[in-house]
């Protein structure tokens, strides 16, 4: 087992205080958005096995089956198939969707064949993999997830009393769900920029007013008004109004599968995803928005956010069940004096201490972890968890 030294990414939307508080260090005054734990080539964690720090990705490349297990290598190739993060949002992230596996393979092959440079700003597909993900709240966590029922969205938009939104209201009332959602999203993202900026300004002002009143949509209006303050004039503000607003309480989670539009707005959480960079953006970003490709990937159907709560097994491990094979996230909450918890897995594990003080005991000794610290456990290595605290455990599901 190895203690991980992790990189914190300073994206502009990040909180200046949440990750430093988790790690028990002084804030720098700069945004600290994501702490990455894993072997992603963009910012691999470091391990030290006696010869100085090396990237976890290099350690895995030197012995894939020893580090990951034969089954994981056979299914996912000689790389860690998941990336674990602590995500700290103080401002909205981009509104986005991820392709399914077939779409990712097709899109990647197409861009490779057309010679689109890997670092081109208009490139959509960085790899041939899908990107399912799960976010678990450590604090109250706000987000947008999936399309709201079109009739409810029509009611929400109509209450804003903005003339330029009335055609969207009519479409949402008059057409079948899939057609209505597609037509409205297309219209929003292809509208004249100046006209749309004025629509956003008027809608944001109305949302600000309605968010301060009682009503079933008041929290959503307040969220949309906040989004507009961060992204004035962005058509993604109106696109966001088509989506469900949700607040996760600590310990609750959301699974984001392929083709579901979503955005994280504010809060601190533990995120796990497959090892992919494939993102198609809908707005709330200065980055490239490829509308035709986005419309090809989005699934135009409404669904209420399926908030996940962990289910405990007989050992006390609390599992967040998802349909993906690349990762499995669970939580151990240990009380002071509790018996050691064996952590057995045929695949690799990353363990993150989210609160308290714990230790990992293995054949080669003991590794203490305090709040914000993490460890990598190679495939098949038996360790036991002791102490008092909350530990998130990431491994493969297959």
């Amino acid at each position: 087992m190895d203690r991980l030294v992790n990189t914190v990414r300073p994206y502009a939307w990040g909180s200046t205080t949440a990750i430093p508080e988790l790690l028990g260090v002084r804030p720098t005054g700069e945004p600290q958005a994501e702490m990455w734990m894993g072997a992603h080539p963009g910012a691999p964690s470091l391990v030290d096995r006696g010869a100085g720090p090396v990237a976890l990705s290099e350690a895995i490349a030197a012995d894939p089956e020893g580090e990951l297990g034969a089954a994981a290598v056979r299914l996912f190739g000689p790389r860690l198939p998941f990336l674990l993060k602590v995500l700290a949002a103080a401002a909205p992230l981009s509104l986005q969707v991820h392709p399914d596996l077939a779409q990712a393979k097709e899109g990647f092959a197409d861009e490779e064949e057309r010679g689109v440079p890997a670092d081109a700003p208009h490139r959509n597909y960085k790899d041939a993999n899908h990107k399912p993900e799960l976010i678990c709240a450590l604090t109250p966590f706000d987000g947008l997830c999936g399309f709201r029922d079109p009739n409810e969205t029509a009611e929400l938009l109509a209450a804003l009393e903005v003339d330029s939104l009335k055609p969207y209201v009519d479409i949402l009332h008059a057409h079948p769900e899939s057609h209505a959602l597609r037509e409205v999203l297309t219209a929003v993202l292809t509208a004249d920029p100046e006209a749309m900026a004025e629509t956003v300004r008027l809608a944001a002002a109305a949302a600000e007013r309605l968010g301060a009143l009682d009503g079933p949509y008041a929290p959503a209006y307040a969220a949309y008004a906040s989004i507009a303050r961060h992204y004035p004039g962005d058509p993604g503000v109106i696109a966001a109004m088509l989506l469900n607003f949700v607040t996760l309480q600590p310990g609750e989670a959301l699974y984001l599968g392929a083709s579901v539009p979503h955005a994280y707005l504010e809060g601190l959480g533990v995120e796990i995803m497959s090892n992919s960079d494939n993102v198609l953006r809908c707005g709330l970003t200065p980055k490239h928005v490829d509308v035709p490709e986005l419309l090809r990937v989005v699934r135009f159907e409404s669904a209420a956010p399926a908030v996940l709560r962990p289910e405990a097994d007989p050992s006390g491990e609390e599992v967040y069940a998802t349909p993906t094979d690349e990762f499995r996230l669970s939580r151990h909450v240990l009380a002071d004096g509790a018996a050691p918890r064996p952590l057995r897995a045929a695949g690799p594990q990353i363990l993150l201490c989210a609160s308290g003080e714990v230790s990992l005991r293995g054949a080669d000794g003991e590794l203490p972890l305090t709040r914000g610290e993490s460890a990598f456990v190679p495939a098949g290595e038996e360790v036991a968890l002791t102490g008092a605290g909350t530990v998130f455990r990431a491994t493969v599901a297959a």
Side-chain angles (χ1 to χ4, degrees), residues 257-279:
S259 306
V260 176
H262 62 276
Y264 302 145
L265 303 180
E266 186 175 9
L268 181 70
V270 174
E271 185 182 32
I272 189 168
M273 61 188 63
S274 68
N275 213 340
S276 171
D277 286 328
N278 287 328
V279 174

Side-chain angles (χ1 to χ4, degrees), residues 2-4 349-352 360 367 369 373-377:
D2 304 278
R3 184 184 306 279
L4 295 177
Q349 303 180 67
I350 291 180
L351 303 166
L352 166 68
L360 298 176
L367 179 63
L369 298 175
E373 293 185 323
S374 56
F376 174 76
V377 180

Side-chain angles (χ1 to χ4, degrees), residues 174-205:
H175 295 286
E177 176 176 286
S178 178
H179 179 83
L181 293 171
R182 176 183 289 274
E183 188 170 345
V184 171
L185 183 62
T186 303
V188 168
L189 297 181
T190 58
D192 174 77
E194 290 188 8
M196 179 52 65
E198 178 63 8
T199 295
V200 170
R201 185 186 69 79
L202 295 171

Side-chain angles (χ1 to χ4, degrees), residues 61 109 136 168 183 210 214 262 306 355:
C136 178
Y168 305 154
E183 188 170 345
L210 293 171
D214 290 332
H262 62 276
S355 68

